[in-house]
Amino acid sequence: MSEEILDMVERIVRYTVFQCCPPRSSPEEWDFETLEQRFETILSTKVDTSDFLDLRVPDIEEKIYYAVEGRWKKKQNELESDFVVVDGDLVAKDEVPVHAKVKEPVWRFLLRQFYLGQIDRHWRDHLTQMDHLRDGIGLRGYGSRDPKIEYKKEGHQLFSSMMREVDFNVLAEIFNVKLMSPDEVRREA
């Protein structure tokens, strides 16, 4: 499942670089400041863009991907340092019963929780958007366009957008999560 995270990272890196460094523009027009800010806020990864002006887009994507991959490895270790998953619950390592069996890494447990939550939220919105699209698609026939083809095309764009939003949100949650023991929560309250 770590490969799944890295696949999401690759999609987000590719999309974000595409947005900030459009293919048919000169490197002087690229928005490196936004690129740095997005990776700092979404993936808690500091990206140094000072030498990006001399690079091609695939090289920029590769540098950012490796920076985020390194951050992900640190985050995995950080998540595993104080907590374990026992019987479907997060438990502090110092409170684990002797006979308890640890079934999965903490990051995998959190990834599943975050993914399910995001898909649940976004899927309902997507279905509503598809209903609205279906209601308005008949007007496309007046514009000499096949409504069925337009519906398929726009539906696919809506779905792709939804999945990209899910990827962004899941990665933002998993990279920015901070686990706290009940004692730490009480102290902060």
Side-chain angles (χ1 to χ4, degrees):
M1 211 185 250
S2 185
E3 294 83 26
E4 191 171 304
I5 293 270
L6 295 176
D7 288 344
M8 280 193 286
V9 166
E10 185 177 356
R11 289 191 298 267
I12 295 306
V13 165
R14 187 172 291 132
Y15 179 76
T16 305
V17 170
F18 177 80
Q19 293 292 90
C20 296
C21 308
R24 292 194 171 94
S25 63
S26 69
E28 289 79 24
E29 297 174 42
W30 293 349
D31 189 0
F32 293 125
E33 186 178 321
T34 301
L35 194 65
E36 286 180 1
Q37 288 173 346
R38 286 192 182 164
F39 286 105
E40 181 74 35
T41 55
I42 295 170
L43 303 176
S44 300
T45 304
K46 189 98 171 114
V47 175
D48 179 23
T49 60
S50 59
D51 64 337
F52 282 10
L53 204 55
D54 300 329
L55 298 176
R56 296 174 322 143
V57 170
D59 298 330
I60 292 172
E61 289 174 354
E62 186 177 321
K63 276 189 111 167
I64 294 172
Y65 175 82
Y66 286 125
V68 175
E69 183 182 33
R71 174 69 182 105
W72 170 239
K73 290 181 191 230
K74 288 178 188 171
K75 187 65 178 183
Q76 277 180 302
N77 292 334
E78 182 184 311
L79 291 172
E80 299 297 326
S81 65
D82 296 326
F83 292 87
V84 293
V85 178
V86 177
D87 296 327
D89 291 318
L90 277 176
V91 179
K93 280 190 174 179
D94 56 348
E95 297 174 9
V96 175
V98 177
H99 63 280
K101 290 184 181 177
V102 177
K103 296 198 176 200
E104 63 184 340
V106 172
W107 64 266
R108 185 177 293 162
F109 172 80
L110 291 173
L111 177 65
R112 187 174 55 250
Q113 300 302 315
F114 295 153
Y115 222 122
L116 289 173
Q118 287 297 324
I119 288 175
D120 187 44
R121 272 184 230 106
H122 285 84
W123 186 247
R124 282 188 242 131
D125 292 340
H126 176 69
L127 292 177
T128 303
Q129 289 175 336
M130 291 301 290
D131 282 343
H132 292 301
L133 178 61
R134 186 184 66 227
D135 292 343
I137 203 72
L139 300 174
R140 306 294 167 84
Y142 296 119
S144 300
R145 291 187 264 171
D146 184 2
K148 196 175 199 178
I149 291 173
E150 291 294 310
Y151 181 77
K152 285 180 183 179
K153 187 170 81 175
E154 290 186 34
H156 178 71
Q157 287 172 343
L158 286 172
F159 182 78
S160 296
S161 175
M162 178 199 68
M163 290 308 296
R164 186 171 34 256
E165 190 69 26
V166 166
D167 283 351
F168 267 104
N169 292 345
V170 167
L171 286 177
E173 285 181 315
I174 197 91
F175 273 83
N176 292 303
V177 69
K178 182 177 182 238
L179 300 178
M180 297 177 9
S181 69
D183 293 335
E184 290 172 317
V185 171
R186 275 187 234 110
R187 274 181 279 188
E188 285 204 10

